[in-house]
Amino acid sequence: TRAEGREMQSQRDQLFGDDESSDLLVHLKALRFAEASQFNLATCKSVGIHAGAAREAAALAKQFLNIAKDEGLLNKPERLSEKDPVPSTVLASEQIRRCVLAGFPDQVGLRMDQATLRCQLVHARKGVLARESVVQSAQLLVACEVREIEGRDAEKQVLLTLATGIEEGWLRELFPESFSESTDVVFDSVQRRVVGKRTVRFRDLILRSKDSDSVPGDAAAALLAAEVQAGRCPLKAWDDSVEQWITRVNLVSVWCPEWEVPA
């Protein structure tokens, strides 16, 4: 539950806050704490844990682990009794984070920069990482929960919670077909020239983009011509006399199509 005051938050940080890779791992530590106290109501309440919800989560975890054992997915052959705590070494931290990624590839996000909690998501979405999340330093993340809330002035905001930090290498291992690299041709209005950008994408999410010297000539010519026609790239010698000449050429082409107009 939400921390009630600084003292409770400080105690929670000491007990559960030494891992900044996943909010789920923090919740897992809270579950271990609740199990160790035998889901004592007063003990759990002192650090903001809902004892009843923790008991239900532990029971559900045991059911899933027993199913996994019956299917031969875990090394230990013995079944878990209702009195046994959930083993803390079933999966390592990295394995859990990889599992989260495998389950939620459509909720992968990229922090816009380290100074903000705003993120770009796949499917051209945007969201804001919850302030209470421990995943504050990861550039790539997966949000298990993506929900729309009403912010100030009744403005809708997409909030990302239960976040887990991931690595680009894991994306390539699990979803190689979702990666693409291309050279995008864009017009640099400051330099007033066509430049190439080498872009790496996961699905439609741009992971990296950097300038490239490799610019296809045809694409550059078409883009430059479009910018000139739109008036965003005026040419120094393009004055009223040039416009009049173009007008005359167009008229000749319309009324005397058999004439050959020199370039």
Side-chain angles (χ1 to χ4, degrees), residues 31-78:
L31 178 60
R32 305 287 181 227
F33 179 87
E35 288 174 331
S37 71
Q38 297 182 344
F39 306 101
N40 180 273
L41 186 61
T43 303
C44 290
K45 188 176 181 180
S46 67
V47 291
I49 295 176
H50 193 292
R55 187 188 297 274
E56 292 178 4
L60 186 61
K62 292 186 181 71
Q63 292 180 31
F64 279 118
L65 285 169
N66 282 327
I67 292 173
K69 287 182 180 295
D70 291 342
E71 294 295 327
L73 301 176
L74 296 178
N75 294 328
K76 295 183 179 180
E78 70 275 7

Side-chain angles (χ1 to χ4, degrees), residues 192-218:
R192 294 182 63 187
R193 68 186 186 91
V194 176
V195 297
K197 286 191 176 295
R198 190 66 179 172
T199 303
V200 178
R201 291 181 175 87
F202 173 71
R203 299 186 177 177
D204 64 342
L205 178 65
I206 297 178
L207 300 181
R208 291 190 308 281
S209 181
K210 65 178 181 179
D211 292 343
S212 172
D213 295 331
S214 176
V215 180
D218 293 345

Side-chain angles (χ1 to χ4, degrees), residues 2 21-27 100 104 107-109 111 117 119 121 125-136 141-149 157-165:
R2 187 178 295 274
S21 62
S22 174
D23 293 326
L24 292 175
L25 295 175
V26 176
H27 281 240
V100 174
F104 297 92
Q107 294 181 182
V108 170
R111 290 277 293 277
L117 296 176
C119 301
L121 302 174
R125 297 172 296 169
K126 295 181 180 179
V128 178
L129 181 65
R131 292 188 178 276
E132 61 270 20
S133 172
V134 300
V135 187
Q136 297 289 327
L141 56 88
V142 173
C144 290
E145 292 183 356
V146 178
R147 65 181 189 273
E148 193 175 76
I149 62 173
Q157 187 180 62
V158 177
L159 187 65
L160 312 179
T161 56
L162 289 181
T164 294

Side-chain angles (χ1 to χ4, degrees), residues 95-117:
Q95 291 174 300
I96 293 176
R97 291 158 61 199
R98 284 174 177 266
C99 286
V100 174
L101 171 58
F104 297 92
D106 58 333
Q107 294 181 182
V108 170
L110 178 73
R111 290 277 293 277
M112 292 184 177
D113 57 67
Q114 290 299 319
T116 179
L117 296 176

